[in-house]
Amino acid sequence: MTINTKVEEAGFTPASRISTIGVSQILKIGARAQAMKRNGKPVIILGAGEPDFDTPDHVKQAAWDAIQNGQTKYTALDGTPELKKAIQGKFARENDVSYELDEITVATGAKQILFNAMMATLNPGDEVIIPTPYWTSYSDIVEIAEGKPVLIACDAAAGFRLKAEQLETAITPKTRWVMLNSPSNPSGAAYSAEDYRPLLDVLLKHPHVWLLVDDMYEHIVYDGFKFVTPAALEPALKNRTLTVNGVSKAYAMTGWRIGYAGGPRDLIKAMAVVQSQATSCPSSVSQAASVAALNGPQDFLTERTASFQRRRDLVVTALNAIDGLDCRTPEGAFYTFSGCAGILGKTTPAGKRIETDADFCAYLLDDVHVAVVPGSAFGLSPFFRISYATSEAELREALERIAKACAALR
Ligand SMILES: Cc1ncc(COP(=O)(O)O)c(C=O)c1O
């Protein structure tokens, strides 16, 4: 560590708490792909973590009405009573979990919910169990909060799901949280009630371990998959479970920045302390819009999910037809996480040997102008993630290019 002397004053030394956190690979690849596009290259970007649909009109109207009605001031610290009531109704109606209003918190995106939770609970060195592949923000947020991410590999053969034995082995006296995400970004894998049961049984034996579940993609599930959340499945764990959700993915509202959670009152209060000195409250207009999203018509969700399912099927079928790739059919979200072990060791037409999934993704971007994200960005290799939240025409073109690129390897 460098000591800040007068000589160094003109320079910049970041805090040690962010020293291990680099700019995400996803952002780096995205920036490179955008730069290539600006230079006239026909790049197809399959990296977006957001639906390609628009925010529904009735939600936009509610925001406009809120502006006209003067709902343009600071709101209650962790959510307006109207939005908390809408969230309470949503949890009861869709998840069969009941939360009092003071057991609910609203933040600037689910990302801030996670941030508030970790900042409010972790002491230096506290451990957080995170199954891989994971959404990259999990481990980075834990590290910013000076906790220690404990990463556990969950491979394709296990459906990218954590097994009870793995959880049992990973728990130590320093374990504070386990983070589960169903359906998952990046794998699309989801936990059914049967998948959750053995994990919840392990947690029942370890009362010092809390459970954070990220249900962000709950509405995007396929083939009749029945979404469930642990606080409903195991009421005995509800007093140490934080159920995280948001409007970003279901309602195509990523830019509105509203996430929420239900959990034990004392935790919710501690999270509000963090938020009070970070943002004061979430945006008043976005909160009004989110009330309309949660209380309004839900029928368009089925239609949008059907459209995602068609695209999932198209992508999985095309990937599995390519020699060297192996793609598990995901239960939800809008990502495929395909194995590329069969590609490693091959040589590109330019004579470069592909050693890793990152090499493979770089080859796809450079040679056929398709931007996808390597598994290494999500803590599990050799895989790559495709986001299929883009048009079927663009997906078909991208998959043809990937097939061509793979066929050209020797
Ligand atoms: C698994 C998961 N959780 C949470 C989020 C954060 O959502 P937001 O901050 O937009 O509410 C994302 C966004 O990509 C995600 O993929």
Side-chain angles (χ1 to χ4, degrees):
M1 185 173 335
T2 43
I3 295 164
N4 233 346
T5 62
K6 276 212 158 128
V7 182
E8 285 178 334
E9 250 169 29
F12 172 73
T13 312
S16 54
R17 91 172 59 80
I18 63 156
S19 62
T20 53
I21 298 159
V23 175
S24 106
Q25 271 198 65
I26 307 177
L27 294 184
K28 272 196 217 157
I29 292 166
R32 239 193 99 213
Q34 291 292 359
M36 286 170 73
K37 230 177 167 170
R38 278 195 301 278
N39 288 334
K41 298 270 191 303
V43 180
I44 300 179
I45 302 177
L46 303 181
E50 56 188 355
D52 56 337
F53 297 112
D54 197 6
T55 302
D57 284 342
H58 68 279
V59 174
K60 292 183 189 168
Q61 185 61 47
W64 181 237
D65 293 345
I67 293 171
Q68 299 286 29
N69 297 338
Q71 292 180 49
T72 52
K73 305 285 166 59
Y74 293 129
T75 71
L77 168 58
D78 65 353
T80 60
E82 294 75 25
L83 180 51
K84 286 193 174 189
K85 276 194 200 111
I87 293 165
Q88 184 181 49
K90 177 262 181 265
F91 275 133
R93 184 177 68 239
E94 296 182 347
N95 305 118
D96 204 17
V97 193
S98 78
Y99 287 112
E100 298 298 327
L101 294 188
D102 60 358
E103 294 175 315
I104 290 171
T105 184
V106 182
T108 305
K111 190 179 261 186
Q112 196 192 11
I113 293 279
L114 298 172
F115 192 82
N116 290 347
M118 294 305 111
M119 290 298 278
T121 57
L122 296 182
N123 287 315
D126 282 353
E127 294 172 3
V128 179
I129 296 173
I130 305 173
T132 76
Y134 60 93
W135 182 45
T136 29
S137 293
Y138 292 160
S139 66
D140 286 350
I141 290 172
V142 167
E143 291 195 52
I144 290 175
E146 300 183 52
K148 184 177 159 211
V150 175
L151 306 178
I152 311 208
C154 304
D155 57 23
F160 298 118
R161 294 186 199 95
L162 182 66
K163 291 201 227 110
E165 313 81 80
Q166 289 177 299
L167 176 59
E168 184 78 66
T169 312
I171 291 175
T172 75
K174 298 212 86 180
T175 308
R176 190 75 207 258
W177 289 96
V178 178
M179 286 187 176
L180 298 177
N181 173 212
S182 166
S184 148
N185 174 7
S187 72
Y191 290 81
S192 65
E194 294 71 39
D195 297 323
Y196 267 133
R197 190 68 254 167
L199 298 173
L200 304 184
D201 287 341
V202 170
L203 290 175
L204 284 171
K205 291 192 280 172
H206 298 277
H208 69 291
V209 180
W210 286 50
L211 175 62
L212 185 152
V213 290
D214 180 344
D215 294 346
M216 180 53 76
Y217 294 91
E218 101 172 80
H219 287 293
I220 308 172
V221 288
Y222 310 124
D223 304 322
F225 180 88
K226 192 165 171 352
F227 174 85
V228 282
T229 198
L233 277 178
E234 184 44 80
L237 285 177
K238 188 173 165 239
N239 64 357
R240 51 186 164 108
T241 297
L242 185 67
T243 306
V244 180
N245 213 317
V247 295
S248 285
K249 314 288 171 165
Y251 303 100
M253 291 177 68
T254 46
W256 299 75
R257 310 305 306 126
I258 295 292
Y260 58 85
R265 190 169 289 118
D266 288 344
L267 168 63
I268 296 296
K269 250 199 248 163
M271 288 167 65
V273 173
V274 179
Q275 178 147 302
S276 70
Q277 300 310 339
T279 58
S280 297
C281 65
S283 147
S284 58
V285 174
S286 296
Q287 289 187 76
S290 300
V291 172
L294 294 173
N295 286 348
Q298 307 290 314
D299 45 335
F300 65 92
L301 295 176
T302 321
E303 212 175 285
R304 290 182 173 190
T305 299
S307 158
F308 277 133
Q309 179 160 340
R310 275 196 304 279
R311 292 182 262 174
R312 176 204 66 169
D313 292 343
L314 183 161
V315 174
V316 172
T317 308
L319 288 174
N320 282 328
I322 299 173
D323 224 17
L325 302 185
D326 182 14
C327 185
R328 176 184 179 274
T329 304
E331 288 86 12
F334 38 72
Y335 311 103
T336 57
F337 199 64
S338 174
C340 56
I343 297 292
L344 305 190
K346 295 193 175 182
T347 306
T348 70
K352 196 163 174 274
R353 205 175 129 88
I354 294 181
E355 308 279 6
T356 62
D357 50 17
D359 290 346
F360 178 52
C361 294
Y363 166 60
L364 291 181
L365 184 55
D366 291 338
D367 279 44
V368 292
H369 308 319
V370 175
V372 295
V373 186
S376 52
F378 308 100
L380 196 73
S381 290
F383 292 89
F384 66 101
R385 187 190 80 170
I386 283 181
S387 162
Y388 49 86
T390 189
S391 73
E392 287 189 29
E394 209 164 41
L395 286 173
R396 280 183 211 285
E397 167 68 22
L399 288 156
E400 269 173 34
R401 292 191 201 174
I402 295 174
K404 199 172 123 217
C406 292
L409 295 170
R410 289 291 162 262

